[in-house]
Amino acid sequence: MIEQNTTSSLNDESTTTSSKKLLSTPIALIQLIVFSAIGLVMFFVPFTIGEKSTILFDHGATYLVTQQQTLSVTLLFLLMLYGVSKPFIDGSWRKNITHMIMTAFKIIGLILAVMYVADVAPAFMMEKDMLPFLFEKLALPVGMIVPIGALILAFLVGFGLLEMVGVLMQPIMKPIWKTPGSSAIDAVASFVGSYSIGLLITNRVYLQKQYSAREAIIIATGFSTVSAAFMVIVAKTLGLMEFWNVFFWSTLVITFIVTAITARIPPISLFDDHVERPALDHKRGTRLAAAFDLGLSTSRRATDLKQILWSNFRDGLTMAAAIVPSIIAVGLTGLLLAKYTPVFDALGLLLYPFTWLGGLPEPLVAAKGMSAGLAEMFLPALLLSEADILTRYVAGVISISSVLFFSAMIPCVLATEIPISVGKMVIIWFERVVFSILLAAAFGHLAMYFNWIG
């Protein structure tokens, strides 16, 4: 039996197409090939423009941020105003204590953004690693990338490609990571594009009841890591670009090994795993044919291009509006705690046994630096940029493989309907960091022995 992920219903309105005339098979085949190709090129093929090599929609977002800053800042504030007002308009701020807290953070985030742009924030907030970093390097790019990426996302998930990948990848994804085959799209979208885009896919599929709660949490906390482009920034900061291939591929493997481990232990293993997905009968050796048939049938039902594009773009706007003010408020809180309080020093003591066991030259210093990743994933790279090569390598891996952090990722998850609390995400973060330290340290020693790094 092949699990059939009928996620063509990712677009809410597409579920009603069963009562409409289906596209002819030739037209559906052309639509499947052309639109899927557009999505693949836009998401996964880097283009060099102005000496910068990245994917096309990232070029577009970068252009808005750097060349049309007045426009992008205006759009960002409109998003934040929408994000702040929405909980009061729909009454969701009263839903539970988490929603109340996040609504408060959104309001604070908007106020902080106004203070930053008006240059009236206190001096300690205007230091370059505080509000300027959060606004210019996180909030502004995310505010532009998420809606644009969501629009392009429609070509990947609306015309049958997701269903095809789901059938083909199930034999790999389910035994190793306990997730359906279609989650491979989430992982790749996060890694080459943005974790927020990966979460957007996960949330849409979960709401369509194609992922169980446990599967959605595994994907959100295990695959939605920062993009490959941001890995370059981490590697540059830590002086690892000379060993880029070793760093890139080892980090990728370690991240997904850790995900396979955390999927099997509490708290993730305790979440509900019930989901009703129809199964597709197939004869042995016909998985490719079954995947093609499912993709084609999905494409035949995708009759309203404008509605599919608008549905995805609308969801991207909604997610961006929820994320951006939270990034500023939650991120500033974490950065202030890291810089002016012993909170992360204390947390570092919990990681010390593992940095010591990993054989890092200064295990306590390394543990404290890596613990700051809970506030912002880039902090370990900043705090340990002058350390020895082994510690720098492990810190680089931790920055990517820990996945969860308060300045952006955790608010992103809270902005979805995925049923996980902040407390459980912190536990998962700790588990991921522990396993990442041990695996990265072991590989780092091996790489130094063979002169792959050093």
Side-chain angles (χ1 to χ4, degrees):
M1 303 291 283
I2 291 181
E3 174 187 346
Q4 179 182 4
N5 294 292
T6 55
T7 46
S8 57
S9 56
L10 278 171
N11 301 287
D12 301 340
E13 294 75 17
S14 69
T15 59
T16 65
T17 58
S18 58
S19 62
K20 300 177 182 178
K21 185 177 179 180
L22 299 177
L23 295 176
S24 66
T25 298
I27 296 297
L29 178 60
I30 293 172
Q31 179 173 265
L32 170 62
I33 294 171
V34 172
F35 288 158
S36 296
I38 290 172
L40 290 170
V41 170
M42 294 292 284
F43 257 95
F44 302 137
V45 179
F47 290 84
T48 301
I49 300 176
E51 299 184 352
K52 178 184 178 182
S53 179
T54 186
I55 52 180
L56 279 176
F57 81 85
D58 185 42
H59 278 300
T62 300
Y63 172 78
L64 282 174
V65 171
T66 58
Q67 304 299 318
Q68 301 290 333
Q69 191 169 41
T70 301
L71 174 61
S72 60
V73 170
T74 302
L75 293 174
L76 186 72
F77 272 99
L78 290 174
L79 278 174
M80 286 194 287
L81 285 169
Y82 173 57
V84 169
S85 61
K86 187 175 183 296
F88 297 100
I89 294 172
D90 60 21
S92 61
W93 72 275
R94 293 190 296 257
K95 188 174 181 180
N96 54 44
I97 187 65
T98 299
H99 278 73
M100 292 180 184
I101 293 172
M102 292 311 300
T103 299
F105 271 119
K106 288 175 186 176
I107 296 170
I108 295 169
L110 177 59
I111 294 170
L112 289 171
V114 171
M115 292 171 65
Y116 170 73
V117 172
D119 198 20
V120 296
F124 72 93
M125 290 186 184
M126 294 300 286
E127 294 178 16
K128 64 179 182 179
D129 58 347
M130 293 294 173
L131 278 181
F133 169 75
L134 291 168
F135 190 91
E136 304 288 347
K137 303 299 183 183
L138 287 178
L140 200 53
V142 167
M144 300 302 105
I145 285 173
V146 173
I148 296 173
L151 182 64
I152 306 303
L153 179 66
F155 294 102
L156 282 182
V157 302
F159 302 98
L161 180 64
L162 185 68
E163 288 74 14
M164 292 178 64
V165 172
V167 173
L168 293 173
M169 291 297 295
Q170 187 194 347
I172 299 172
M173 301 300 294
K174 198 67 177 178
I176 299 176
W177 291 287
K178 296 187 175 293
T179 60
S182 57
S183 62
I185 286 284
D186 300 53
V188 175
S190 297
F191 207 68
V192 303
S194 166
Y195 56 81
S196 50
I197 296 299
L199 280 174
L200 187 66
I201 302 175
T202 306
N203 191 50
R204 288 182 68 82
V205 179
Y206 173 69
L207 289 176
Q208 293 300 323
K209 304 186 186 305
Q210 298 301 315
Y211 289 159
S212 69
R214 187 190 303 175
E215 289 169 346
I217 291 166
I218 291 170
I219 296 163
T221 64
F223 294 149
S224 299
T225 186
V226 297
S227 67
F230 205 85
M231 286 182 67
V232 175
I233 300 174
V234 172
K236 284 182 178 179
T237 302
L238 290 165
L240 299 174
M241 284 305 294
E242 183 181 352
F243 322 107
W244 168 247
N245 281 323
V246 173
F247 174 68
F248 178 90
W249 291 110
S250 62
T251 300
L252 179 65
V253 171
I254 288 169
T255 298
F256 291 150
I257 290 175
V258 170
T259 298
I261 295 171
T262 56
R264 290 166 166 78
I265 61 176
I268 292 179
S269 64
L270 302 179
F271 281 93
D272 177 37
D273 198 33
H274 176 73
V275 64
E276 295 183 3
R277 279 187 293 259
L280 183 66
D281 291 325
H282 73 291
K283 295 179 181 179
R284 186 175 181 84
T286 61
R287 182 175 292 275
L288 182 61
F292 176 76
D293 288 344
L294 182 57
L296 187 61
S297 66
T298 300
S299 183
R300 292 192 68 195
R301 294 194 297 272
T303 58
D304 192 339
L305 175 62
K306 289 188 294 185
Q307 184 57 51
I308 291 172
L309 292 174
W310 167 244
S311 177
N312 279 269
F313 184 62
R314 180 190 61 204
D315 285 358
L317 288 174
T318 301
M319 174 168 276
I323 292 168
V324 171
S326 300
I327 285 177
I328 296 174
V330 179
L332 182 64
T333 301
L335 293 174
L336 290 174
L337 287 173
K339 190 167 186 176
Y340 296 109
T341 75
V343 169
F344 292 109
D345 286 347
L347 189 56
L349 293 176
L350 297 177
L351 296 176
Y352 170 70
F354 305 101
T355 53
W356 174 82
L357 190 61
L360 301 188
E362 295 184 84
L364 185 57
V365 173
K368 290 180 178 180
M370 292 171 193
S371 70
L374 181 58
E376 158 56 40
M377 59 76 57
F378 198 56
L379 285 179
L382 288 175
L383 297 175
L384 297 172
S385 60
E386 302 298 322
D388 61 279
I389 183 65
L390 178 61
T391 299
R392 282 185 280 132
Y393 167 75
V394 175
V397 174
I398 296 301
S399 292
I400 311 303
S401 65
S402 59
V403 175
L404 297 162
F405 51 96
F406 272 109
S407 70
M409 183 61 194
I410 290 176
C412 285
V413 176
L414 293 176
T416 71
E417 296 299 318
I418 298 169
I420 184 169
S421 66
V422 172
K424 286 186 171 61
M425 280 192 276
V426 171
I427 294 172
I428 295 168
W429 169 85
F430 183 78
E431 292 173 346
R432 294 192 65 87
V433 172
V434 167
F435 290 120
S436 297
I437 288 172
L438 296 177
L439 290 169
F443 180 80
H445 284 293
L446 184 68
M448 291 176 66
Y449 178 79
F450 286 106
N451 292 319
W452 296 339
I453 63 173

